[in-house]
């Protein structure tokens, strides 16, 4: 332990240097996760929530294998997984939690509408904040000012999510809510919040063990897809489920795959934010996705076209509160005492699993180890080609949903997605080489 103790002071300084990068990733995650909610409009398509969730997870699975392969190569990913075998089970478990939570959100949307369900499941930031403090010592040693910024900022973002959610409740939207299922819908949304907040325990454990987020999500997706197949086979008709036989499902797969793919881009930014900021700071920042979800609904799909002044004021007020909450969290730069607590978590993890402290610390701090760089094999290009081919095939067979779409705003918000990914990706590559 004396060797580890001797490294704590410089370690704390190096860990703290990633705060700005973590904030950038958290905000970028909000932009992409908000855009991924658009395909949930298909919950009224006739397919069951299990079927919709399975289709989205199939898109997620495709993205989780393709993006890490593009950025680092499969040799790098598998070498990282092999060096941290003890984390494979936790990664698969996290994927299982995500799959169940995602299915619960589809039930919640069906029963009470996206407007009410979204802010309820976004309380996962408060669940994550609790787990981060109890299990990983986050905010331990933090100044009273920083604690207030993180806690009040997270609460402000949740409150803003509620305001933005209720801003879209007017005649047309409210009529789509199943009053008889309100209780089950609310419970489903809260269950998703609990599972998604708990899911970040394996994430944080992986990162303080030195695992790359790109490697973790590759194993993570096995739990996702396996769980969704099991749910469909057990609870949605087995092999006779409509998702496997319905001709209509074929025409909607592209949009659900696309939603899953967009979600993964946001989730990857979210993982890097969790790595460099911790659960308590990273998740509230990524939960600014609510403001972007409302932007897509209002500007692209015209959901607020017939809203009255009260609802429009809720949008403005909610947006301001969310921005202030995000500003509070993003400016809560951890002190050296808090970094020492984080370093203690790294030391405990290394002692528990007999890991090399210096290697783990360098990986956690985002210092690329050149010895682990791996050349890409021909199969990497094959993985990417198969993914592109799948999207082309599904796109050719897709039907454009019968929704009124404002194409100028669609182009503008799509442009925001591209710019955000470019800036966030460049920041990660330049500072850490996606480590």
């Amino acid at each position: 332990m004396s060797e580890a103790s001797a490294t704590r002071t410089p370690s704390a300084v190096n860990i703290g240097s990633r705060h700005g990068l973590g904030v950038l990733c958290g905000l970028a995650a909000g932009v992409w996760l908000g855009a991924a909610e658009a395909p949930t409009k298909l919950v009224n398509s006739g397919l069951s929530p299990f079927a919709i969730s399975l289709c989205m997870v199939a898109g997620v699975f495709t993205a989780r294998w393709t993006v890490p392969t593009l950025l680092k190569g499969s040799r790098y990913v598998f070498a990282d997984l092999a060096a941290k075998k003890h984390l494979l089970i936790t990664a698969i478990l996290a994927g299982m939690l995500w799959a169940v939570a995602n299915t619960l959100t589809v039930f919640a949307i069906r029963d009470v509408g996206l407007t009410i369900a979204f802010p309820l499941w976004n309380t996962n930031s408060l669940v994550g904040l609790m787990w981060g403090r109890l299990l990983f010592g986050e905010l331990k040693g933090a100044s009273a000012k920083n604690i207030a910024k993180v806690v009040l900022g997270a609460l402000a973002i949740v409150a803003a999510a509620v305001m933005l959610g209720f801003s879209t409740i007017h005649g047309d939207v409210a009529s789509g809510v199943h009053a008889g299922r309100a209780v089950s819908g609310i419970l489903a949304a809260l269950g998703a919040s609990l599972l998604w907040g708990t899911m970040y325990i394996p994430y944080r454990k992986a990162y303080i063990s030195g695992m790359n987020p790109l490697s973790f999500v590759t194993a993570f997706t096995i739990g996702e897809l396996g769980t969704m197949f099991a749910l469909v086979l057990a609870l949605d008709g087995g092999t006779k489920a409509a998702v496997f036989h319905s001709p209509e499902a074929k025409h909607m797969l592209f949009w659900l795959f696309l939603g899953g793919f967009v979600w993964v881009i946001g989730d990857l930014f979210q993982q890097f934010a969790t790595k460099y900021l911790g659960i308590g700071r990273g998740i509230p920042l990524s939960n600014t996705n609510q403001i972007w979800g409302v932007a897509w609904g209002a500007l692209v799909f015209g959901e607020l076209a017939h809203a009255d002044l009260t609802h429009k004021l809720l949008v403005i007020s909610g947006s301001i509160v969310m921005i202030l909450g995000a500003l509070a969290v993003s400016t809560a730069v951890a002190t050296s005492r808090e970094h020492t607590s984080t370093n203690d978590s790294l030391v405990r993890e290394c002692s528990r699993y007999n890991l090399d402290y210096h290697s783990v610390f360098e990986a956690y701090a985002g210092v690329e180890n050149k010895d682990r760089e791996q050349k890409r094999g021909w199969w990497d290009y094959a993985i990417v080609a198969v993914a592109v081919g799948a999207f082309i095939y599904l796109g050719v067979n897709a039907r454009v949903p019968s929704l009124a779409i404002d194409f100028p705003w669609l182009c503008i918000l799509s442009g925001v997605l591209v710019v955000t990914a470019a800036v966030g990706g460049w920041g990660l590559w330049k500072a850490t080489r996606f480590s």
Side-chain angles (χ1 to χ4, degrees), residues 149-150 152-154 156-157 284-285 320-330:
K149 282 184 175 181
V150 173
L152 295 179
I157 290 172
L285 289 178
I320 292 173
V321 171
M322 183 165 285
I323 291 170
L324 292 175
L327 184 63
V329 174
S330 61

Side-chain angles (χ1 to χ4, degrees), residues 13-371:
V13 174
N14 291 333
I15 291 174
S17 66
R18 301 303 186 196
H19 179 86
L21 180 62
V23 170
L24 174 63
C25 290
L27 295 177
V31 176
W32 279 82
L33 292 174
E37 295 302 326
T40 59
K41 292 179 176 293
L42 294 175
V43 293
N44 294 320
S45 62
L47 288 178
S48 72
F50 295 107
I52 291 172
S53 188
L54 174 61
C55 294
M56 290 189 70
V57 167
V60 168
F61 181 88
T62 304
R64 287 202 192 278
W65 280 87
T66 305
V67 176
T69 298
L70 278 171
L71 297 179
K72 301 296 284 186
S74 60
R75 283 193 177 113
Y76 176 98
V77 169
F78 283 109
D80 195 23
L81 292 173
K84 314 284 190 319
K85 295 185 181 70
H86 66 283
L87 292 171
L88 291 175
I89 297 300
T90 60
I92 293 173
L93 176 61
M96 295 170 69
L97 290 174
W98 185 93
V100 176
N102 190 63
T103 304
L104 287 174
T105 65
V106 182
F107 275 102
I109 293 168
R110 184 197 67 181
D111 293 346
V112 296
L114 183 61
T115 297
I116 298 173
F118 204 147
L120 286 175
W121 74 59
N122 261 8
T123 56
N124 71 324
S125 59
L126 302 180
V127 178
L129 182 63
M130 177 192 70
W131 288 127
R133 179 62 184 88
L134 292 176
L135 299 180
F136 303 107
E138 292 184 11
L139 293 179
K140 183 179 180 181
S143 65
K145 183 178 180 180
N146 272 353
I147 293 175
K149 282 184 175 181
V150 173
V151 175
L152 295 179
L155 288 171
I157 290 172
V158 172
V162 174
M163 296 170 69
L164 290 171
F166 279 97
S167 71
T168 55
I169 296 182
H170 47 91
D172 295 337
V173 176
S175 63
V177 177
H178 296 271
R181 296 174 176 171
V183 174
S184 63
I186 291 172
L187 290 176
L190 291 175
S193 171
L194 178 61
L195 292 178
W196 269 338
T198 304
M199 176 185 70
Y200 293 106
I201 296 174
Y203 282 44
R204 186 64 173 162
K205 183 176 177 64
Y207 303 149
I208 63 174
S209 295
M211 180 174 278
N212 190 306
L214 297 174
S215 308
F216 184 80
V217 299
T218 302
F220 178 98
T221 196
I222 297 173
E224 286 177 306
L225 193 60
T227 299
M228 281 318 308
F229 267 113
L231 289 174
V232 169
L233 293 176
L235 303 175
D236 198 36
T239 57
K240 297 181 180 180
V243 67
F244 301 130
H245 304 286
S246 172
E248 293 301 315
K250 180 178 180 181
H251 304 302
M252 291 182 288
L253 281 175
F254 174 78
W255 306 109
L256 294 172
F257 258 64
L258 183 62
F261 204 100
V262 171
W263 190 91
V264 165
I265 303 300
D267 182 58
L268 286 174
F269 279 123
Q270 183 176 230
Q271 300 323 307
F272 281 105
T274 303
K275 176 179 179 178
Y276 293 125
L277 294 179
I279 302 173
R281 291 174 172 86
I283 305 310
L285 289 178
S286 67
N287 278 359
T288 56
N289 60 347
Q290 177 81 0
I291 197 172
W292 292 102
V294 171
W296 278 86
L299 300 176
V300 176
F301 301 110
E303 290 181 353
L304 296 179
H306 304 293
D308 56 25
L309 179 61
T310 300
H311 290 93
K312 291 178 180 178
L313 287 175
L314 278 172
V315 171
I316 297 172
S317 302
S319 300
I320 292 173
V321 171
M322 183 165 285
I323 291 170
L324 292 175
L327 184 63
V329 174
S330 61
T331 56
V333 182
T335 62
S336 58
R337 288 181 62 192
E338 192 175 347
H339 291 314
T340 299
S341 176
T342 300
N343 194 67
D344 288 342
S345 296
L346 268 69
V347 171
R348 285 195 300 271
E349 202 71 7
C350 291
S351 177
R352 182 177 294 121
Y353 297 106
N354 195 29
L355 303 173
D356 179 70
Y357 168 80
H358 294 286
S359 298
V360 168
F361 170 74
E362 287 183 351
Y364 180 81
V367 179
E368 182 63 70
N369 186 342
K370 293 182 179 180
D371 293 337

